[in-house]
Amino acid sequence: MRIDLALKHLCLVKSRSSVKHLCDDGAVRVNDLQAKPSSAVRTGDQITIRFPHRTVTIELLDVPEKQLSKSVAPTYYQMISDVDTRKDDEDF
């Protein structure tokens, strides 16, 4: 399955076009390789998404066939890390 579809089906992004923008910016990696929106993903792949204020890394446990509900989607992946990359406002 294409990564843009997989991330949309897993409720990790709002739209396929947002995945395209992230991929174009080099913010999506599959198994440590920069991904294109059409890059294929399979069970067991490690996906890292660098959002503006956080970085998420997951391991794909199963590839979704269709759009999942937000309550079911987390059963298809294992969260490896979820790091908030914003700077602390208290430091300023």
Side-chain angles (χ1 to χ4, degrees), residues 3-14:
I3 192 163
D4 58 349
L5 282 172
L7 294 179
K8 171 68 175 116
H9 290 345
L10 293 170
C11 305
L12 292 169
V13 294
K14 290 186 180 186

Side-chain angles (χ1 to χ4, degrees), residues 4-88:
D4 58 349
L5 282 172
L7 294 179
K8 171 68 175 116
H9 290 345
L10 293 170
C11 305
L12 292 169
V13 294
K14 290 186 180 186
S15 66
R16 288 175 59 196
S17 63
S18 63
V19 177
K20 180 184 180 335
H21 293 297
L22 289 167
C23 288
D24 290 345
D25 292 342
V28 179
R29 300 182 78 74
V30 176
N31 299 325
D32 290 326
L33 299 174
Q34 187 171 335
K36 295 180 181 179
S38 61
S39 296
V41 292
R42 301 183 238 343
T43 301
D45 283 350
Q46 190 172 11
I47 303 168
T48 301
I49 311 159
R50 189 173 25 90
F51 294 105
H53 297 291
R54 76 189 254 230
T55 300
V56 175
T57 303
I58 63 165
E59 181 179 341
L60 199 56
L61 300 177
D62 197 6
V63 178
E65 297 292 323
K66 59 182 180 176
Q67 181 66 46
L68 303 171
S69 68
K70 285 188 177 186
S71 60
V72 173
T75 64
Y76 280 72
Y77 61 87
Q78 177 180 359
M79 185 68 67
I80 295 173
S81 72
D82 185 356
V83 178
D84 187 350
T85 57
R86 286 180 283 197
K87 295 191 183 216
D88 249 345

